[in-house]
Amino acid sequence: IHWEFLSERKQVAGYVCQKATAFFRGRRWYAWFTNHIPVADGPWKFHGLPGLIMEIYDDQNHFRITCVGLAHEKVPIKKYNWRYEKTTREKANDYTRWCHENFFDCSKNLGIRLRISGASEAEAKKMSIPYNPLELE
């Protein structure tokens, strides 16, 4: 991610942060990072700034992730052994779109039985969830 540093500053979760912007996967993103926590990381796929990303949002404000606090606890890191199938980004995106457009059938494929109050199964199959992916490209 190619970040452009901006001069604006504000506090997020008690940390002084600087603003940066980048165009990533079809969206313009604005990030507030703090160099008081020198970890070049952040939520989802966002990284590469000289400090932890404390807040990030897209230019249409469809997505916003904000740190509301940090706790210093000693908790063991859990590693889950999830079953997975190797795929491409395009196939994963196509499946996610299909699940939004056909959430009844998608749920059924995952072993989840949906009942929608006042709707027949045929009506429920016609319902969809708006699809607005994080990655447009």
Side-chain angles (χ1 to χ4, degrees), residues 75-136:
V75 179
I77 296 173
K78 294 180 183 177
K79 181 179 179 191
Y80 296 96
N81 292 316
W82 298 100
R83 193 183 62 144
Y84 67 92
E85 183 177 321
K86 207 169 193 175
T87 189
T88 65
R89 199 172 120 248
E90 290 79 16
K91 285 182 183 179
N93 289 343
D94 288 345
Y95 179 72
T96 302
R97 178 186 293 277
W98 180 83
C99 285
H100 278 79
E101 293 170 351
N102 305 282
F103 80 92
F104 189 88
D105 290 333
C106 181
S107 299
K108 193 174 182 180
N109 286 349
L110 295 170
I112 301 167
R113 185 172 175 177
L114 294 176
R115 291 187 191 151
I116 300 171
S117 180
S120 68
E121 186 171 323
E123 291 170 323
K125 283 187 174 187
K126 294 178 186 175
M127 295 179 184
S128 66
I129 299 170
Y131 182 64
N132 185 17
L134 281 164
E135 296 182 5
L136 297 176

Side-chain angles (χ1 to χ4, degrees), residues 7-71:
S7 61
E8 296 173 61
R9 297 202 186 315
K10 76 172 188 176
Q11 281 204 7
V12 179
Y15 290 88
V16 175
C17 296
Q18 181 178 348
K19 193 174 189 181
T21 185
F23 190 79
F24 180 69
R25 300 276 191 218
R27 292 187 189 274
R28 168 69 51 196
W29 293 94
Y30 297 97
W32 292 93
F33 69 96
T34 181
N35 57 15
H36 297 284
I37 304 173
V39 176
D41 211 351
W44 188 50
K45 296 180 179 181
F46 298 110
H47 63 280
L49 289 166
L52 185 64
I53 297 172
M54 303 293 282
E55 181 174 48
I56 191 156
Y57 53 90
D58 70 302
D59 62 352
Q60 295 183 0
N61 213 20
H62 288 181
F63 301 96
R64 179 179 293 265
I65 303 168
T66 305
C67 175
V68 295
L70 297 172

